[in-house]
Amino acid sequence: MGELLRELDPPMATGPAIPLRQAHAHVRAAARGLTTAGTRNEGMVLDVADTPFGTRLLVAEVEGDAPAETANDVTLAFRDLAGHEPELAGVAERLHTRVTGSGGPEVSVAATLVTIRHWEDQAEIVRCGLPAPLMLRGSRVSVVDAAPAYPPLGRLTPPDAGGSWGEPTTIPYGEGDRLLLHTRGVEEVRDAEGRPYPLAERAAGLAEDDPDTALARFAEDLIAYSTAPPARGAVILLVHRDGTHPGHQPPAARRAGS
């Protein structure tokens, strides 16, 4: 399960979803970019990796100089770290180091990192500067606001200064659950009267089991609601928990024959 995301071209809002191959036998993911004339997606990051620690996901947006270059650097670093760093907080810490080392204080990366451990029916979330994800269970939608809102990568406070590198929040994540991750542009969508898009209410209508179909309907609804595109563009990622793995063992244990 190598590279799971093709090179991210700036997609049109009415175009096809950004292609993601099936991330894991029990986790399916689909992504979509929202841009129109005058908006830019060059600083957006989307990636999914199947690792010995579970299925790992990254949604991020770059602020500062050379956003496309920083986004590419963050993507490459995540692909390397996801399969080698056991702790999600460790992934966040090392990504933070990469951002501060390559871009300086004028660059920051707002990000949400997730590890889905299907053999434990759990997901870990580290949220650094992006809106809280949504959890969809059947027709019910809840905001995963238990996850602390840490500053973006590049602005995290080191632990020896009394801060935290971003300890994850663990939530139940069982069969049929869907997790919706999005960047800040989605929250900029307004109607003609200036009312914000009712994100949780509309997301409750995502009843399709297929992430691509569900996300396409969601993106179309976003566009129809909006009278003006989000200034920064946006990306959304929908992750569907397919089923329970026999034996509830992590991939590394299965390969070892235990």
Side-chain angles (χ1 to χ4, degrees), residues 30-32 46-48 56-60 111-116 124-127 130-136 144 178-184 186 199 215 218 234-239:
R32 184 170 287 265
L46 280 166
D47 216 345
V48 181
R56 284 186 159 166
L57 309 102
L58 171 67
V59 172
T112 297
L113 299 94
V114 179
T115 300
I116 297 173
E124 288 184 331
I125 299 174
V126 172
R127 181 161 66 97
L130 284 189
L134 298 183
M135 174 67 74
L136 289 72
V144 188
R178 286 155 291 161
L179 196 62
L180 183 71
L181 310 175
H182 62 286
T183 56
R184 290 173 289 188
V186 172
L199 185 59
L215 202 55
F218 183 67
V235 291
I236 47 179
L237 176 68
L238 181 65
V239 190

Side-chain angles (χ1 to χ4, degrees), residues 88-102:
L88 192 60
V91 177
E93 174 185 351
R94 295 177 68 181
L95 282 177
H96 165 80
T97 302
R98 178 69 67 94
V99 171
T100 56
S102 63

Side-chain angles (χ1 to χ4, degrees), residues 42-43 45 62 64-76 98 102 107:
E42 62 182 20
V45 179
V62 178
D65 298 332
E69 289 82 354
T70 302
N72 183 66
D73 192 34
V74 169
T75 300
L76 294 176
R98 178 69 67 94
S102 63
V107 174

